[in-house]
Amino acid sequence: MSATAEDLRLSLAATAQEVEAELARLLPTAEDPRKPVLEAMRYASLGGGKRLRPFLLIGSAELFDVPHARSLRAAAAVEMVHCYSLVHDDLPAMDDSALRRGRPTVHMAFDEATAILAGDGLLTEAFAVLADPATHPDADVRCRLLAALAQAAGVNGMVGGQAIDLSPVRHSLDIAGIENLQDLKTGALIVGCCRMGAQLGQAESREESALVAYARDLGLAFQIADDLLDAEGTASEIGKPVGQDAEHGKATFPGLLGARAARERASELVISACAHLDIFGGKADSLRAAAKFALSRRS
């Protein structure tokens, strides 16, 4: 039986609760001069977010019967990297946003220097979590996980995408250019999640390739939906400022294609993403439901 929207909602909520608890455990407080930065790290990573990326990693790992404690640790590491990227994206030197997940951004709640350090701390702690034998007893697997996350987060992933986003060429990108930008800025970490789930399960190459292809289509569909929300949503709905792309004159999928054609493109990507999962049969129903959610979400 295929997963329903309600099944997915419950699964996402359960995963979010587990990841929240794991992050709280991995990011303890301190009563010394480090206290402000640790509090900022916890503020940035606890108490909000859909936790879609951890859900994708855990769902991918479940295809290969990976022990849940291992995939949960890897999922928490990925979420640390995602949250670090949000902290830095919101800084005055980047997107200069005052609102994230319906509350003040880290540099507004603390200060700019603490926000920079909090992002640095989250990024670094993520690699420490993956390097720990508790994540996987096989050192070769841990090395592969570290390499996958580094690729997703670095200049060939999120950092490269953000660099393009800040570049003057951002305003004149065509559709191919926007797809490349989003493959790096948004899609790379989504791909990394599915790749890491396969690596935890020591999957066959064809299985890992299928998950990577699924994640690439999903990542692009997710970003198109995000562009549509920025153009049509409200700040109260999505928990952050809207209309910023248009305000800054940035080329977007809806701006170049029109809202209707952008939705059609996202729908095609979701269908393609789900088709890549055929080799897993019904075991991948939760991942199929996640792809459909990416298109229909309102936050």
Side-chain angles (χ1 to χ4, degrees), residues 226-243:
D226 216 46
D227 283 356
L228 287 164
L229 284 172
D230 184 70
E232 302 173 346
T234 64
S236 60
E237 261 188 320
I238 65 176
K240 62 180 181 179
V242 297

Side-chain angles (χ1 to χ4, degrees), residues 85-103:
S85 74
L86 301 182
V87 174
H88 282 194
D89 281 359
D90 290 336
L91 288 168
M94 299 281 191
D95 292 343
D96 194 15
S97 294
L99 192 67
R100 171 71 68 177
R101 293 173 174 170
R103 61 181 183 173

Side-chain angles (χ1 to χ4, degrees), residues 219-229 253-254 262-263 265-266 269:
L220 195 51
F222 187 91
Q223 186 57 48
I224 293 173
D226 216 46
D227 283 356
L228 287 164
L229 284 172
F253 289 102
R263 284 194 184 86
R265 174 67 174 137
L269 287 163

Side-chain angles (χ1 to χ4, degrees), residues 30-288:
E31 295 300 326
D32 59 39
R34 298 172 301 158
K35 182 176 180 178
V37 72
L38 286 166
E39 288 182 344
M41 290 166 68
R42 289 173 64 87
Y43 180 89
S45 55
L46 302 177
K50 297 175 285 297
R51 313 298 190 192
L52 178 63
R53 290 158 188 82
F55 181 85
L56 293 172
L57 192 154
I58 292 170
S60 297
E62 285 176 347
L63 296 174
F64 311 104
D65 301 319
V66 172
H68 189 65
R70 295 179 187 174
S71 60
L72 183 59
R73 283 181 61 87
V78 166
E79 190 67 3
M80 287 181 191
V81 171
H82 175 55
C83 292
Y84 125 77
S85 74
L86 301 182
V87 174
H88 282 194
D89 281 359
D90 290 336
L91 288 168
M94 299 281 191
D95 292 343
D96 194 15
S97 294
L99 192 67
R100 171 71 68 177
R101 293 173 174 170
R103 61 181 183 173
T105 50
V106 178
H107 70 274
M108 298 294 291
F110 294 83
D111 57 62
E112 191 171 343
T114 301
I116 292 170
L117 289 174
D120 292 345
L122 287 169
L123 175 62
T124 309
E125 286 302 312
F127 287 96
V129 171
L130 292 183
D132 193 308
T135 301
H136 199 284
D138 188 325
D140 182 62
V141 171
R142 297 199 304 275
C143 285
R144 293 181 67 198
L145 292 171
L146 289 163
L149 187 56
Q151 181 176 0
V155 72
N156 293 314
M158 291 194 307
V159 169
Q162 183 70 351
I164 296 171
D165 199 32
L166 294 171
S167 167
V169 305
R170 178 65 173 87
H171 303 280
S172 57
L173 291 176
D174 58 12
I175 288 297
I178 296 175
E179 288 193 3
N180 178 60
L181 162 65
Q182 301 304 349
D183 278 344
L184 297 174
K185 185 176 179 180
T186 302
L189 192 58
I190 289 175
V191 169
C193 288
C194 294
R195 187 188 297 281
M196 291 165 69
Q199 290 172 342
L200 280 167
Q202 296 174 284
E204 296 178 6
S205 60
R206 71 185 186 93
E207 293 169 325
E208 183 175 327
S209 295
L211 282 168
V212 166
Y214 156 83
R216 282 184 175 139
D217 285 342
L218 169 59
L220 195 51
F222 187 91
Q223 186 57 48
I224 293 173
D226 216 46
D227 283 356
L228 287 164
L229 284 172
D230 184 70
E232 302 173 346
T234 64
S236 60
E237 261 188 320
I238 65 176
K240 62 180 181 179
V242 297
Q244 290 192 315
D245 288 339
E247 181 181 336
H248 295 130
K250 292 182 177 180
T252 65
F253 289 102
L256 291 179
L257 298 175
R260 180 175 178 178
R263 284 194 184 86
E264 290 174 353
R265 174 67 174 137
S267 296
E268 292 168 357
L269 287 163
V270 167
I271 292 169
S272 176
C274 292
H276 291 302
L277 300 175
D278 285 350
I279 66 170
F280 301 110
K283 289 185 74 174
D285 279 346
S286 64
L287 295 179
R288 294 185 183 93

Side-chain angles (χ1 to χ4, degrees), residues 16-26 46:
Q17 187 174 23
E18 287 187 315
V19 171
E20 182 90 0
E22 187 71 1
L23 287 168
R25 186 184 70 80
L26 292 168
L46 302 177

